[in-house]
Every structure is written in structure tokens, then in C-alpha cells.
Amino acid sequence: MESTAMITPGLARDLAALGRLGEDTSTESVLRGLTAALTAGVPGCSGASAEHWRDHRVLVSGSHSELILLVEGERELGEGPSIEARQSGGRATVTDVLTETRWPRYDALATRSGVRSVLVVPIEVPPALLIVGLYSVRPGAFSPQGASSLADMLAEQVGVAMANMWEFEEVRTDAAQLQEALAGRSLIDQAKGIIMQTSGCSAEAAFEELRRISQHHQVKVADLARLLVEEHQRKSSKRS
């Protein structure tokens, strides 16, 4: 029973829900959902933070603005449990910041934020690394046994959520690029029609003229076509 003391039915439900995708799903929304789920579902947890590291860039989310400042302050100090977890790849725990001796400057910063105990769990979700922090206003809030089972659940559920989100973003990006390509093709066809109408040339010759002008002015054919169509529409509206 001790090993699952940090996992509640509500937490399990909320973590599983992170993998459900919607139009507004993003890295930021997943991180916000994660910190909210931990704060509400882990007994003794007063707040949570999440750092998303990818390509040496970091995105920080927190259940409370003070915790975002604490994480960012820790990074500026260069010491603390989050940095320890990121460098070692293992969990980092502060049982009580008032008696902790490893990171005195971090302890002072955490104390000013009202934090007494901390649990930090690193989660590898290639190509990213998540650093998840749990904070409590009382000392000794996170047991080692409970931390182990919680880390396993986070690795599984958050890993699935992030993988689903990246796949969704890739599909969404491909769809947007396809839509853009189709729109560009439509504009090119309209521009070709305008050139054919004014010069009496073939479709092939009209496209070659578009390409020649685009190369001369160093603009994309689609952009040139859009300008030609817009100019033609302006002239038509004036005549009407």
C-alpha cells in the first residue's frame, strides 16, 4: 500500500486524459494539464512544475506562478534538485529545505516561495526530456516508495501523451502545408489564365512567363501569381 500512496484514482484518470487530443492540443497544454493533475491528485502536493527540454531550449509550466519563478531562479543559480535530476537522469528529493545542505542558495529561494519539500522526476521522451517537479508546504511529503511508483506512471502516461501530441502536430503541419500548396496552385492557375487572356498564349507559355518573371525578381512563383491575381481583381473592380 505504501508503494502506491502517491497515486490516486483521480490522478490516474487525469494523467490518462493527457493523451486525448483536440484542436487546441500543444506542448503547453499538455504541460499545464500535467501540473494541474499532479497538484490535484497527489496527496500532500501543493503545486507542480514541468520543464520541457528539447534542442537546448526549455519551456516551463507551473501550477502556480511562484513555482515557475522558482524553477527559473534555480536555473540561474545553477544548483537545486531540478538541475540534479536533469544532469543525473535520476530522481532528486529534498525532504526539508530547512535542513537540506546540498544547495543552500536554492533552499533559501524555495523557503521564500513557501516550499518545504520537493520531488523532481526526469522523464525521457525522445527527442525531449521532461523535468517534473512536485512541491509541498510541509516537510517529508513525498515517500521514496511512493515516488518510485509515481515515476513509473508518469513515464508511461506522459510518454504516451507527448508521443500522441507530436504525431498530431506532424499531421496538422502536413495538412496545413498541403492546404497552402493547393492554394498556391489555384493562384498559379488563375495567373496563367490572366496571361493567356491578355497575350493569347498557351498555358505552357503562360507558366514559362510566370517562371521567367519570378526568377528575374527573385520571388516565388506562387507569390508572383498572388500579386498578379490581386492586381487583376483591383483593375476589374475599378472598371465595374
Side-chain angles (χ1 to χ4, degrees):
M1 191 70 179
E2 177 72 19
S3 63
T4 59
M6 293 177 66
I7 300 176
T8 61
L11 175 64
R13 181 190 63 246
D14 291 342
L15 290 179
L18 294 177
R20 301 190 191 117
L21 304 178
E23 280 300 316
D24 297 329
T25 299
S26 64
T27 301
E28 292 89 339
S29 68
V30 172
L31 297 184
R32 286 196 303 269
L34 173 61
T35 58
L38 293 172
T39 303
V42 176
C45 181
S46 306
S49 67
E51 301 171 69
H52 178 275
W53 287 89
R54 183 172 181 176
D55 299 329
H56 304 291
R57 291 178 294 182
V58 62
L59 175 65
V60 181
S61 182
S63 58
H64 301 77
S65 58
E66 293 86 355
L67 296 180
I68 296 177
L69 294 175
L70 176 59
V71 170
E72 292 176 343
E74 176 181 358
R75 195 161 63 249
E76 291 176 3
L77 291 174
E79 66 172 46
S82 295
I83 292 177
E84 172 71 19
R86 183 159 60 92
Q87 292 176 344
S88 68
R91 297 192 303 275
T93 305
V94 177
T95 303
D96 190 347
V97 297
L98 297 184
T99 58
E100 172 64 48
T101 59
R102 290 170 293 177
W103 310 300
R105 291 182 298 167
Y106 171 81
D107 296 335
L109 188 62
T111 300
R112 289 197 294 271
S113 301
V115 171
R116 286 293 298 273
S117 57
V118 184
L119 168 64
V120 179
V121 179
I123 305 172
E124 290 191 21
V125 191
L129 173 66
L130 294 183
I131 304 297
V132 180
L134 290 81
Y135 307 86
S136 180
V137 295
R138 61 181 179 83
F142 310 115
S143 70
Q145 298 91 339
S148 179
S149 59
L150 177 64
D152 291 341
M153 172 174 277
L154 286 176
E156 178 180 355
Q157 298 290 355
V158 176
V160 169
M162 297 303 292
N164 287 349
M165 187 269 298
W166 286 330
E167 183 176 349
F168 180 66
E169 284 190 339
E170 184 175 343
V171 171
R172 188 161 52 186
T173 298
D174 290 345
Q177 290 175 344
L178 176 60
Q179 188 68 29
E180 183 179 354
L182 291 174
R185 182 173 178 177
S186 176
L187 284 171
I188 291 172
D189 287 341
Q190 292 180 61
K192 284 165 53 180
I194 294 170
I195 294 174
M196 291 166 63
Q197 183 181 15
T198 56
S199 65
C201 66
S202 65
E204 292 77 7
F207 181 74
E208 285 301 319
E209 180 65 7
L210 270 175
R211 188 163 62 177
R212 183 189 67 79
I213 297 174
S214 73
Q215 290 175 346
H216 179 73
H217 292 283
Q218 296 184 334
V219 296
K220 294 180 180 179
V221 173
D223 292 339
L224 176 62
R226 177 177 54 79
L227 292 173
L228 180 59
V229 170
E230 289 176 350
E231 179 65 20
H232 179 73
Q233 290 173 342
R234 279 196 294 268
K235 289 181 179 179
S236 297
S237 63
K238 287 181 180 179
R239 287 196 296 267
S240 60

